[in-house]
Amino acid sequence: MPRRRTSSSTGSSTSSPTVPRNRTPQPVRVRRRSFGDFVKAFLAFVALVVLVVGVPGALAVFVGWPLPHGAPKLEWLQREITVSTFLHILTVVVWLAWAQFTACVLVEVKAALSGIGVPGRVPGAGPSQLLARQLVAALLLVGATAASLTPGLSQLGHGLEGGHKPAVAAAQATPGLFAQQQEQAADTAAALAEQASHADGGSGARQHGDTKYYRIQPPEGRHHDSLWEIAQRHLGDGRRYKEIYELNKDRVQPDGSKLSEASLIRPGWIMEMPGDARGGELVEMPDPGADVSPEVQQQIHDYAKSGDHAQPAGQHGGQVSVPEQRPAPDARPREHANPGAGQESGQESGHSFGLPEALLAAPLLAAGLLGALGRRRRQALWQSALGSAGGRRGMEPPTPTGDAADAQDALLVGADPEAVRLLDRSLRGLAAQLAAESRPLPTVYAAWLTGGDLHLQLAQPAGKPPAPWRLGQDQTFWMLARADAERYEDADTAAPYPGLVSLGTMDDSRLLLNLESVPGIVSLSGREADRAAVFASVAAELATNGWSDRMTITLVGFGEDLTPLAPNRLRHLDGVDALMETMEAETRQRRGALGAAGHDSVLTGRTGPAQHTRWAPHLVLLAAQPSAEDAVKLAELAADASRLGIGYLVGTETGDLPGAAWEMEITGAGKLLAPLLGLELQAQLLPVDQQRAVVELFVEADPEHDPDGPTTTPPFLVDISEQGRPAVYARLVGPYEIIGLDTPDGERSALLHEALALLLLHREGVHPRVLSSALWPRGVTPDVRDALLERLGAWLGTDPDGSPRLRTDATGRLTLAKSVVSDLDVLRSLYHEATQGKGVDSRVVRGRLLTDALVLVRGPLLADRPEGRYRWLTHEIVDAQLPLLVADIGLALSAFHLEKDRAERAIEALDAALNSAPGDERLWHELLRATHATGDADKLRAVAADLVGRSGARGLPPRTEALLDELLPSWRTGTAAVG
């Protein structure tokens, strides 16, 4: 489909005035080799000959064979050590040192000539390998320069080597390998390119007779051809890869596909080159004498006929394509998809319905943050319940206020947990299917969520996908319809693409970029504040997303305050120096681990036996622009990073970053631009104020944040005396019943009941948009929401004084009058009064209050709720609070009876509590103690057998086993007999 093209001016907006994007020819001084350079090269050659050839020759002539000629005998150890024996031992040591040095020379020569990157390490050869590297570098320096200055020699050497890159190209392709060689060779190549360049960037002087073409070479080892390296070899400047891209974009290649991204090229493709391109790998057409096969000549001839004139009118270059869209069968209006709509409605009705729009527009990020926040609060709840002995444990998490409350409401409104669930199941299901078919995971550069469907954009065609997946708009798209995704169940396999992260939306499609698979660095330019908002969004989603098992996210130059979101995933480093040290070590470790495991990349490892323990990605987010030296080191590390599962997102002020595979820019208007990829996204951002509010939610939920723990006072206490009888009483603990109101007529009855339940569980107030999002997860228009609120107010009615029972507070949140009460409110109030009120000083009052509280428990919360409704409960922690509260009531009532040796009454209280909290280990422990107190060994064995049966394959917890060993030493054999 036709793609929009962004203006080329975007690039210039980010360029520094001193480093223009399109440079005009400038006089460049070519550094000539001095006599001293040739002397150094000659001396290096002599040293290598002496060490590699002379040393073994001298040993063979003057010493001879140092080892015994026969089998070792015991009496040899008793002989006197003579000078000859010592010389022979020394000769063996010298032979070993020579062998190690020779191996170092071979490794360094191979690395320099093949251009595969950093040479491998010879074990235990630190100084020897350093000496070999310096000698080889000095020797190849002059040879590389001669090859670059003498085209005939360069072509001859290239032809004899069977396609290997010249030494200059090898040095430039591996920054930091030989520092001096790289610098000098790059200076010479850049000088030649500048002298041969044209005023229009090198592309305006092309004519039919001198047009040059380059054929993409197959990979050699770990090295893959790239437009950057092609430009560096043949144009003298890797940054001129854009010219090659512009000449070849959207042109049909011999295999039928097209160049859609500057970073994605395939072996066998043909690239038309600028007129000033130089080098032996280029072919000029027509040229019957070219050293290429007739088939390749024909392909180049056919390719030459294509180009700008062959493109249909109005058709722009092919980039990262937005998948072709089709109307989703469940398309619906989501209120939070247009935040302004809800805000306008709120202004008309006098309420403040506005919420942070950045979180509203990020459904996957919001779902991840909301899920992580719920887990953090549950963790705090359990630690509070189990972490103290004797004193009352806190049951209520802090209620957020101000910006934190708005952020929480925005998360509740904006989150789309269903999309996260389907994405996770779809990706894991695909991985499981491919593993069952013994097929590798394809490299995925991006995922698009479009109209409920999932599109995976592959790096290259990977054949026919397994059903229910099917091919998308071309061979590089695998598509899964939403209806098919819903058929997937949870799969016991590792997350295949944990590095996917949302960047923004385009044409109603949401783009997730797979950071760990990008072949190089992803750079982001723009104002510092805008870049920070993008980096914070990426970090927060990676730290909390639901489609990853585990990962490491290293934040450099920003984000120290983000670590509370996920302390196990997020790591903050102070500077680039620490990052370099860390990543160099990890890159070596991952290379070694992949080699030892026999995997080509982390993708093959994720479908193997060790899928759950290895190959988690490491994603580096570097917000500040690195120095020139650090940028080169980063480019070197990132060259092989995609194979290792390491991704780099780096901020830059100028937009120019060595080794950047994909370049993006964030504008002040919130647009994320990637001209080479053909993308203009509405960026997903997390501005600093919303970032602080979200972090505050997590900090407040941290169980170690407040040494006193959560508050022990319920958010809403009711009058439990006879005079406190409510006007409306809702029973939520167990089957849902309402006393004091007539059942409303019509199809809105279920919605009114659900809305009342939500308000009863949030006495602090509910934002109207949170209420509508909970009742209509797939979205609703504001007028429908407002109509329901009007019906809800009319149904609840007014108090005797005429005040409405459904009210709106100063922040615009909906609240209930004190005359509307639930049994959960009463339950909390009874327990609070028994343990912290009148029951503290009166044993009789305490026993009565605890008994009344336990009688209220008729089952789980909203036990008879209809299927498909009340899904908002998954975001609540009341499902964890209620069992703990019931367990605490049962434990308190059991202790009350055991004080008077009424073990049977204590057992009754514990049994009643276990009906609602069967998994609470504390209740089982007290039940064992109470049963043991009765002296009935058979009953104790029956309880132990029941407990063992409930434990299943996991077995009993250690503390439970220890208690059984104390109370019933024969339980291991006795429970089996009872069972």
Side-chain angles (χ1 to χ4, degrees):
M1 61 184 286
R3 303 293 328 125
R4 295 196 306 266
R5 294 289 296 162
T6 55
S7 172
S8 61
S9 64
T10 57
S12 61
S13 65
T14 60
S15 301
S16 171
T18 59
V19 188
R21 288 280 188 152
N22 298 317
R23 298 180 296 174
T24 56
Q26 298 288 337
V28 180
R29 216 162 36 115
V30 180
R31 178 175 177 178
R32 304 293 182 182
R33 293 295 172 262
S34 64
F35 177 74
D37 293 331
F38 288 95
V39 171
K40 291 179 182 178
F42 176 74
L43 293 177
F45 173 76
V46 172
L48 285 173
V49 170
V50 170
L51 293 174
V52 176
V53 180
V55 169
L59 290 174
V61 172
F62 295 105
V63 180
W65 184 254
L67 299 178
H69 294 280
K73 297 181 181 180
L74 182 62
E75 55 267 21
W76 288 359
L77 300 176
Q78 302 174 352
R79 292 181 181 178
E80 181 181 357
I81 298 178
T82 63
V83 174
S84 176
T85 303
F86 178 77
L87 289 176
H88 284 172
I89 294 174
L90 182 62
T91 302
V92 172
V93 174
V94 174
W95 272 107
L96 293 176
W98 169 84
Q100 185 186 61
F101 178 78
T102 303
C104 294
V105 172
L106 295 176
V107 167
E108 296 297 329
V109 171
K110 179 179 182 296
L113 295 180
S114 64
I116 62 171
V118 179
R121 291 187 58 189
V122 178
S128 297
Q129 189 164 6
L130 180 60
L131 175 62
R133 180 175 303 172
Q134 293 173 342
L135 292 176
V136 171
L139 179 62
L140 293 182
L141 176 61
V142 175
T145 306
S148 63
L149 294 176
T150 311
L153 292 177
S154 176
Q155 294 178 17
L156 177 62
H158 183 75
L160 292 176
E161 291 172 5
H164 285 288
K165 295 183 297 181
V168 172
Q172 293 174 344
T174 55
L177 179 57
F178 301 122
Q180 182 184 10
Q181 177 184 359
Q182 173 196 347
E183 179 184 357
Q184 295 177 349
D187 288 345
T188 302
L192 292 175
E194 291 289 357
Q195 291 173 351
S197 63
H198 299 279
D200 61 353
S203 61
R206 291 181 290 111
Q207 298 177 358
H208 178 71
D210 62 357
T211 302
K212 299 178 179 63
Y213 297 88
Y214 175 84
R215 189 172 178 84
I216 304 301
Q217 300 299 313
E220 299 177 10
R222 295 193 301 268
H223 172 74
H224 294 257
D225 235 343
S226 68
L227 291 187
W228 178 282
E229 292 190 359
I230 295 170
Q232 197 152 10
R233 291 200 303 270
H234 300 294
L235 300 177
D237 186 350
R239 287 173 293 184
R240 293 185 63 189
Y241 76 93
K242 301 176 183 179
E243 300 175 27
I244 305 176
Y245 171 76
E246 291 296 333
L247 287 174
N248 296 276
K249 64 182 180 180
D250 206 34
R251 297 173 65 177
V252 179
Q253 294 290 338
D255 61 0
S257 54
K258 299 179 182 180
L259 176 64
S260 60
E261 300 175 22
S263 57
L264 301 182
I265 57 177
R266 302 174 191 165
W269 278 11
I270 298 167
M271 296 287 115
E272 182 177 343
M273 300 291 290
D276 61 326
R278 298 290 184 271
E281 298 166 315
L282 302 179
V283 176
E284 294 188 10
M285 297 300 290
D287 186 4
D291 187 19
V292 294
S293 66
E295 178 184 1
V296 174
Q297 289 191 41
Q298 184 61 45
Q299 290 178 353
I300 296 178
H301 273 294
D302 295 340
Y303 188 74
K305 298 177 183 178
S306 64
D308 295 338
H309 63 278
Q311 296 185 19
Q315 181 79 11
H316 299 287
Q319 289 84 21
V320 173
S321 304
V322 177
E324 295 176 353
Q325 301 183 36
R326 60 181 179 85
D330 59 346
R332 68 273 185 186
R334 282 191 66 89
E335 182 189 359
H336 61 263
N338 182 9
Q343 193 165 0
E344 292 171 5
S345 176
Q347 291 170 352
E348 292 173 1
S349 59
H351 302 319
S352 175
F353 283 2
L355 289 174
E357 295 188 7
L359 294 174
L360 295 175
L364 304 184
L365 169 62
L369 289 171
L370 199 59
L373 182 61
R375 290 189 294 271
R376 181 70 56 82
R377 287 174 171 171
R378 285 178 173 84
Q379 178 187 8
L381 192 64
W382 279 101
Q383 289 187 12
S384 175
L386 303 176
S388 59
R392 230 339 267 140
R393 291 168 285 273
M395 294 296 299
E396 301 299 331
T399 301
T401 58
D403 290 342
D406 289 339
Q408 178 175 275
D409 288 340
L411 294 178
L412 290 167
V413 175
D416 192 352
E418 183 68 8
V420 172
R421 184 182 67 87
L422 291 179
L423 176 63
D424 183 39
R425 287 187 173 183
S426 300
L427 295 177
R428 293 180 194 267
L430 175 63
Q433 288 179 287
L434 292 174
E437 298 176 7
S438 299
R439 294 174 59 185
L441 284 168
T443 301
V444 170
Y445 280 138
W448 294 90
L449 292 175
T450 304
D453 300 335
L454 173 61
H455 303 255
L456 297 182
Q457 191 161 3
L458 313 183
Q460 58 188 9
K464 184 179 180 181
W469 292 79
R470 62 177 184 270
L471 290 174
Q473 59 201 55
D474 59 39
Q475 295 289 323
T476 60
F477 273 96
W478 283 6
M479 194 273 283
L480 181 68
R482 182 185 180 93
D484 295 326
E486 290 174 346
R487 301 207 306 261
Y488 272 114
E489 301 292 339
D490 292 332
D492 184 20
T493 188
Y497 304 113
L500 287 169
V501 63
S502 303
L503 292 184
T505 57
M506 179 180 183
D507 296 339
D508 297 326
S509 297
R510 183 169 300 277
L511 170 64
L512 289 86
L513 180 65
N514 191 3
L515 279 179
E516 68 165 331
S517 70
V518 175
I521 295 172
V522 179
S523 69
L524 178 66
S525 60
R527 296 186 310 176
E528 183 178 359
D530 298 325
R531 295 202 316 265
V534 174
F535 272 95
S537 170
V538 170
E541 184 169 300
L542 288 173
T544 61
N545 73 53
W547 53 88
S548 302
D549 295 323
R550 58 192 181 91
M551 65 173 64
T552 300
I553 305 139
T554 299
L555 311 180
V556 186
F558 83 107
E560 185 175 7
D561 53 346
L562 288 175
T563 52
L565 300 182
N568 295 329
R569 284 191 181 185
L570 289 172
R571 174 177 60 179
H572 178 266
L573 296 180
D574 293 331
V576 180
D577 292 340
L579 173 67
M580 292 300 177
E581 181 180 355
T582 300
M583 298 315 299
E584 287 174 356
E586 180 159 346
T587 299
R588 289 195 301 268
Q589 188 273 334
R590 290 201 174 212
R591 282 176 179 160
L594 278 178
H599 295 309
D600 295 329
S601 70
V602 295
L603 289 181
T604 56
R606 285 181 187 151
T607 56
Q611 56 178 300
H612 292 291
T613 57
R614 292 185 177 182
W615 323 124
H618 186 168
L619 304 176
V620 176
L621 308 182
L622 175 58
Q625 179 167 343
S627 65
E629 181 181 356
D630 291 334
V632 172
K633 292 181 180 179
L634 274 179
E636 180 181 352
L637 290 173
D640 195 30
S642 61
R643 187 179 69 91
L644 306 176
I646 303 175
Y648 294 88
L649 177 62
V650 181
T652 171
E653 298 176 0
T654 63
D656 285 328
L657 194 67
W662 290 355
E663 297 179 344
M664 300 185 298
E665 176 192 1
I666 179 66
T667 70
K671 294 290 186 180
L672 190 64
L673 308 178
L676 282 180
L677 305 179
L679 296 178
E680 183 177 339
L681 303 172
Q682 185 63 44
Q684 179 172 296
L685 307 172
L686 187 60
V688 62
D689 53 342
Q690 298 177 37
Q691 173 185 333
R692 290 170 180 165
V694 168
V695 171
E696 181 181 343
L697 291 173
F698 280 79
V699 171
E700 292 292 333
D702 191 338
E704 299 181 0
H705 172 66
D706 185 356
D708 297 329
T711 177
T712 59
T713 303
F716 178 68
L717 290 172
V718 300
D719 185 356
I720 56 176
S721 65
E722 287 294 330
Q723 292 75 25
R725 187 178 299 273
V728 178
Y729 182 65
R731 305 179 73 182
L732 304 179
V733 185
Y736 190 4
E737 299 178 15
I738 298 179
I739 302 172
L741 292 177
D742 296 330
T743 302
D745 298 329
E747 59 182 11
R748 297 294 183 184
S749 176
L751 286 173
L752 292 174
H753 280 76
E754 187 173 354
L756 178 58
L758 178 61
L759 291 169
L760 285 168
L761 293 177
H762 290 276
R763 305 301 305 221
E764 73 279 6
V766 177
H767 197 286
R769 299 184 68 179
V770 174
L771 180 67
S772 62
S773 178
L775 299 181
W776 293 280
R778 296 184 175 182
V780 69
T781 56
D783 57 334
V784 174
R785 176 201 61 207
D786 294 340
L788 180 77
L789 293 180
E790 185 178 349
R791 290 191 185 95
L792 179 61
W795 181 43
L796 291 175
T798 60
D799 281 334
D801 60 0
S803 59
R805 291 174 181 152
L806 179 63
R807 304 170 181 178
T808 304
D809 65 10
T811 65
R813 288 173 171 80
L814 302 170
T815 61
L816 294 173
K818 293 184 178 181
S819 58
V820 183
V821 174
S822 73
D823 56 352
L824 184 58
D825 297 327
V826 177
L827 187 67
R828 288 167 169 165
S829 300
L830 287 171
Y831 182 66
H832 179 267
E833 190 68 20
T835 56
Q836 300 181 57
K838 297 178 180 179
V840 175
D841 301 323
S842 174
R843 170 181 168 81
V844 175
V845 172
R846 182 169 72 254
R848 178 175 56 81
L849 292 174
L850 291 174
T851 302
D852 291 345
L854 201 56
V855 169
L856 289 177
V857 181
R858 301 174 299 124
L861 188 73
L862 298 168
D864 60 349
R865 58 181 180 266
E867 185 177 356
R869 305 298 310 178
Y870 297 87
R871 291 184 177 178
W872 46 269
L873 280 172
T874 58
H875 300 315
E876 307 283 344
I877 66 168
V878 66
D879 59 338
Q881 286 177 305
L882 181 58
L884 286 175
L885 177 60
V886 173
D888 279 352
I889 294 173
L891 291 171
L893 189 55
S894 171
F896 172 81
H897 289 303
L898 287 177
E899 288 176 1
K900 296 296 184 179
D901 295 327
R902 295 196 292 262
E904 294 293 342
R905 299 288 298 276
I907 292 174
E908 291 177 4
L910 294 169
D911 285 336
L914 281 169
N915 289 332
S916 295
D920 198 306
E921 186 181 2
R922 299 170 301 159
L923 289 175
W924 287 102
H925 289 178
E926 291 305 310
L927 182 60
L928 288 171
R929 294 189 180 98
T931 306
H932 180 266
T934 64
D936 191 336
D938 293 336
K939 185 179 293 186
L940 182 59
R941 277 191 291 270
V943 173
D946 188 14
L947 184 55
V948 171
R950 289 174 180 265
S951 65
R954 295 177 301 175
L956 295 174
R959 287 185 297 183
T960 304
E961 287 191 353
L963 181 60
L964 282 172
D965 288 336
E966 175 187 347
L967 302 179
L968 187 65
S970 62
W971 69 274
R972 301 179 190 276
T973 56
T975 54
V978 172

